[in-house]
Amino acid sequence: MERKELCIISDSDIPSGSGGINGEGYTYGQLRHQPIITEILRRITHPIARQMAEDCNERNRKDGFTMYKVDGEYCFEGLRVGPKVKIPSKEELLALLGNYWCPIKLLGVTCVR
């Protein structure tokens, strides 16, 4: 069972990290309401990816996304740009594949049916 807790972070704090994370200096408040920043949005040229990014910003524009910790790890669910889908477990995936599953590494051949 997962443990989920709300993270309370001031909207005026400025997140920072290594590798150029938030070099623009946006505050948490700004990022909560426009997660896909203008500098990134400007460079998205694929129409479907662009629409997904705009949808993410629109979804968060009014209330902003809420950040949680799930099992001690930060969860940025509000930042998702695509639809929410449940990923199957290994057992569920194998059951779905049924007879079409082929242990390629063990057989050393390609399995096409």
Side-chain angles (χ1 to χ4, degrees):
M1 180 155 178
E2 65 182 22
R3 217 180 89 233
K4 184 177 181 179
E5 61 185 276
L6 180 64
C7 293
I8 306 296
I9 299 172
S10 170
D11 278 354
S12 62
D13 285 354
I14 298 174
S16 63
S18 59
I21 295 173
N22 197 28
E24 300 81 10
Y26 288 104
T27 65
Y28 275 111
Q30 289 170 305
L31 294 171
R32 285 180 58 242
H33 294 277
Q34 185 184 350
I36 312 301
I37 61 173
T38 304
E39 291 81 354
I40 299 296
L41 198 57
R42 226 182 267 135
R43 296 185 298 183
I44 301 174
T45 57
H46 189 282
I48 294 173
R50 174 80 183 205
Q51 185 62 54
M52 291 168 76
E54 289 173 354
D55 289 349
C56 175
N57 280 346
E58 184 59 35
R59 185 175 58 252
N60 291 291
R61 192 170 321 280
K62 182 179 177 215
D63 298 321
F65 72 89
T66 301
M67 192 178 339
Y68 294 94
K69 275 190 178 180
V70 176
D71 294 332
E73 298 288 330
Y74 286 107
C75 174
F76 297 93
E77 180 185 278
L79 299 181
R80 73 182 193 287
V81 292
K84 275 173 84 168
V85 295
K86 181 187 178 296
I87 299 172
S89 68
K90 178 182 174 183
E91 292 74 24
E92 291 169 325
L93 185 57
L94 289 173
L96 288 169
L97 292 172
N99 293 332
Y100 293 99
W101 181 74
C102 183
I104 294 171
K105 288 185 179 181
L106 294 176
L107 297 175
V109 296
T110 303
C111 184
V112 178
R113 294 199 174 121

